[in-house]
Amino acid sequence: MPMIRETIVTTASHDGRVHIAPLGLIADGAKWIIAPFSPSTTLDNLRAVPFAVASHTDDVRVFAGCLIGRHDWPTVPSNHVPVPRLAGALAHEELAVVRVTEDAQRPRFHCRVVHRCSHAAFAGFNRAQAAVIEAAILVSRLHMLPAEKIDSEMRYLAIAIEKTAGPHEREAWSWLVERIEQFRSGKRETA
Ligand SMILES: Cc1cc2nc3c(=O)[nH]c(=O)nc-3n(C[C@H](O)[C@H](O)[C@H](O)COP(=O)(O)O)c2cc1C
């Protein structure tokens, strides 16, 4: 399996509306592959404007926030592509789509790195940040995963939150826990 780097991907629609979403970029030599599921705004945007920016951030609120509908994170213009980057990125990579492998469920956009730039120092690993990213992935699959699996994984991930989280990680975690509760109460109401 190739290496996957979890990052924040910005894309833009043909009329310039910016979309921010967490996505896993798949390593492909010196290139990255973006593989958005259909339907999604990221997929529509990549077809309309074949550029993207991967913003690498340790603010895991952006990962959790996008999953619960908070997409309005500050952005600033990029250097070489018509898509902005996350203002708070530690580093970013500007990407141009060079080829698309079509697939009805999950097409793959092969991207060349046009420009990369660092903005701030990497502050070291934090277990709670990894736990929030794992929990965000669970939340993105709530409709597919059994409740028991979600509960057992969240119980395990909560250990890292309790032991190592700072304020940003706690806030992000609380959004995800609330989202799981909302999802379940919505299901109970429609049952
Ligand atoms: C860490 C992480 C990685 C993700 N990777 C992908 C991905 O590679 N492809 C995808 O379609 N969705 C991925 N998702 C889910 C998307 O972020 C989410 O479904 C998003 O809303 C995409 O749809 P949108 O472009 O309409 O916003 C990921 C979520 C997280 C938290």
Side-chain angles (χ1 to χ4, degrees), residues 4-7 11 19-26 33-45 63-64 66-67 71 105-106 132-138 140-141:
I4 294 183
R5 195 169 283 280
E6 309 302 345
T7 191
T11 52
H19 185 69
I20 304 178
L23 271 95
L25 296 195
I26 304 163
I33 297 170
I34 306 177
F37 281 99
S38 177
S40 66
T41 306
T42 302
L43 174 56
D44 293 346
N45 284 356
F63 288 84
C66 288
L67 266 289
H71 290 272
Q105 198 182 28
R106 198 178 185 191
V132 168
I133 289 171
E134 288 302 322
I137 290 174
L138 290 175
S140 76
R141 297 177 184 165

Side-chain angles (χ1 to χ4, degrees), residues 8 10 18 20-21 59-76 84-88 171-172 175:
I8 300 297
T10 38
V18 175
I20 304 178
D59 186 348
V60 289
R61 294 176 306 169
V62 187
F63 288 84
C66 288
L67 266 289
I68 61 150
R70 292 181 186 225
H71 290 272
D72 54 340
W73 299 96
T75 59
V76 293
R85 68 168 172 90
L86 210 58
E171 189 175 16
W175 294 344

Side-chain angles (χ1 to χ4, degrees), residues 57-64 124-137 153-154 156-174 176-177:
T57 178
D58 58 3
D59 186 348
V60 289
R61 294 176 306 169
V62 187
F63 288 84
F125 292 111
N126 170 249
R127 288 174 59 202
Q129 289 170 353
V132 168
I133 289 171
E134 288 302 322
I137 290 174
E153 297 216 0
M154 289 296 283
Y156 177 70
L157 295 171
I159 298 168
I161 300 294
E162 281 154 22
K163 288 186 174 168
T164 71
H168 286 182
E169 292 75 29
R170 285 188 199 287
E171 189 175 16
W173 180 259
S174 71
L176 296 172
V177 168

Side-chain angles (χ1 to χ4, degrees), residues 9-191:
V9 172
T10 38
T11 52
S13 64
H14 62 85
D15 55 355
R17 267 172 300 135
V18 175
H19 185 69
I20 304 178
L23 271 95
L25 296 195
I26 304 163
D28 179 26
K31 295 197 181 69
W32 290 110
I33 297 170
I34 306 177
F37 281 99
S38 177
S40 66
T41 306
T42 302
L43 174 56
D44 293 346
N45 284 356
L46 283 172
R47 290 210 190 282
V49 179
F51 297 95
V53 177
S55 292
H56 306 304
T57 178
D58 58 3
D59 186 348
V60 289
R61 294 176 306 169
V62 187
F63 288 84
C66 288
L67 266 289
I68 61 150
R70 292 181 186 225
H71 290 272
D72 54 340
W73 299 96
T75 59
V76 293
S78 293
N79 297 73
H80 298 284
V81 299
V83 176
R85 68 168 172 90
L86 210 58
L90 298 177
H92 82 277
E93 292 174 89
E94 301 179 15
L95 308 174
V97 177
V98 290
R99 184 164 65 87
V100 184
T101 307
E102 290 298 348
D103 181 82
Q105 198 182 28
R106 198 178 185 191
R108 291 160 73 92
F109 292 78
H110 302 253
C111 300
R112 181 171 68 86
V113 179
V114 176
H115 178 70
R116 57 164 61 93
C117 193
S118 294
H119 309 285
F122 172 56
F125 292 111
N126 170 249
R127 288 174 59 202
Q129 289 170 353
V132 168
I133 289 171
E134 288 302 322
I137 290 174
L138 290 175
V139 165
S140 76
R141 297 177 184 165
L142 279 180
H143 53 291
M144 294 191 275
L145 295 174
E148 309 78 64
K149 181 172 171 64
I150 306 266
D151 288 342
S152 67
E153 297 216 0
M154 289 296 283
R155 267 198 303 276
Y156 177 70
L157 295 171
I159 298 168
I161 300 294
E162 281 154 22
K163 288 186 174 168
T164 71
H168 286 182
E169 292 75 29
R170 285 188 199 287
E171 189 175 16
W173 180 259
S174 71
W175 294 344
L176 296 172
V177 168
E178 196 179 308
R179 178 73 191 95
I180 294 171
E181 284 163 6
Q182 277 169 0
F183 176 78
R184 290 193 178 152
S185 63
K187 269 179 93 172
R188 274 197 294 276
E189 276 158 28
T190 54

